[in-house]
Amino acid sequence: MKFFLDTANLDEIAKAASYGFLDGVTTNPSLMAKEGIASQEERIKEICKLTDGPVSAEALSTDVPGMLAEARRLAGLAPNVAVKLPLTMAGLEATKSLSAEGIKINLTLIFSPLQALLAAKAGAHFTSPFVGRLDDIGQDGMDLVEQIIGIYNNYAYETEVIVASIRHPQHVLRAALMGADIATIPFKVIEQLAKHPLTDKGLASFLADYEKASKK
Ligand code: G3P
């Protein structure tokens, strides 16, 4: 299972890389805004220097000609840029052309299995179901992921599922049990994955026992 980091923060990306947990990065305009960045291109280039894995940069155009031009520009920033487009009819049409040109498209803002089916049929390299935002409106976001994986397996689609809008370790656990290709994870959730109170307690008692024994 691949771990992408869902952030535009360079320190977090560098830290995840040093832990060995960085298979790629996803960004979006809100994550850029959180870092105080209005024009994303410089930041995308900096992120691409920290990882060889795919780095998703989101296009802001909403019409096909705009999406095509923007996606080509973003893809030219570094060889590992993947371009995020929204799952709209325009996004699907642009995906068809851009995928044929070899540009990796990440179709984002996926909230239904049929949107994910269209993404695969359009040739998207990645599809990003937003699980936390479905949980927020009283649905189980991970049910969506299960349905998407089922559909993609039925037809052997190669589109990779990125479980996105992850809020806590249970999302990551369920994604792994379902066999999702990728989870894009906020840095604080990556740290939570390593935490267990019995690990801390066990370590403290091992160290205390060692101290006691070494004083004898
Ligand atoms: O990768 C998508 C993600 O950034 C959206 O997360 O927490 O804004 O729903 P969130």
Side-chain angles (χ1 to χ4, degrees):
M1 182 187 196
K2 288 182 194 146
F3 280 6
F4 288 1
L5 207 62
D6 197 25
T7 188
N9 181 290
L10 296 177
D11 291 339
E12 290 182 349
I13 295 165
K15 241 191 240 173
S18 68
Y19 291 142
F21 294 144
L22 188 69
D23 299 313
V25 174
T26 52
T27 68
N28 63 36
S30 305
L31 292 170
M32 287 288 173
K34 205 169 148 197
E35 301 302 314
I37 295 164
S39 165
Q40 63 173 332
E41 301 200 356
E42 272 316 301
R43 179 53 59 101
I44 292 293
K45 282 198 239 171
E46 289 171 305
I47 295 173
C48 287
K49 285 186 195 143
L50 297 175
T51 178
D52 294 332
V55 174
S56 287
E58 189 150 345
L60 295 166
S61 308
T62 53
D63 59 285
V64 178
M67 285 177 176
L68 294 177
E70 209 181 332
R72 287 173 187 140
R73 199 172 61 244
L74 290 170
L77 295 176
N80 53 331
V81 168
V83 179
K84 266 185 170 176
L85 295 176
L87 195 294
T88 57
M89 292 313 290
L92 289 165
E93 189 180 333
T95 297
K96 189 95 196 136
S97 310
L98 293 163
S99 297
E101 292 172 25
I103 295 176
K104 285 185 179 170
I105 301 298
N106 175 357
L107 274 170
T108 188
L109 291 166
I110 302 272
F111 294 98
S112 89
L114 294 173
Q115 289 181 316
L117 175 58
L118 292 179
K121 284 185 72 63
H125 192 92
F126 301 108
T127 188
S128 291
F130 275 28
V131 298
R133 293 192 193 184
L134 282 171
D135 292 355
D136 290 344
I137 60 158
Q139 294 185 33
D140 182 352
M142 292 308 299
D143 280 351
L144 168 62
V145 175
E146 194 165 26
Q147 290 173 333
I148 295 171
I149 291 173
I151 292 169
Y152 285 8
N153 285 344
N154 285 345
Y155 299 100
Y157 285 126
E158 286 177 3
T159 302
E160 292 184 66
V161 178
I162 304 181
V163 180
S165 183
I166 280 181
R167 303 277 162 78
H168 47 69
Q170 283 299 313
H171 281 144
V172 181
L173 171 61
R174 289 180 66 195
L177 291 170
M178 285 173 194
D181 302 289
I182 301 151
T184 189
I185 312 174
F187 186 75
K188 81 170 184 337
V189 177
I190 297 224
E191 288 183 315
Q192 287 171 344
L193 299 182
K195 279 270 162 206
H196 197 288
L198 291 179
T199 304
D200 296 341
K201 197 174 161 206
L203 179 60
S205 79
F206 285 157
L207 294 176
D209 288 344
Y210 169 76
E211 275 297 308
K212 253 189 270 163
S214 60
K215 277 182 190 141
K216 274 185 191 161

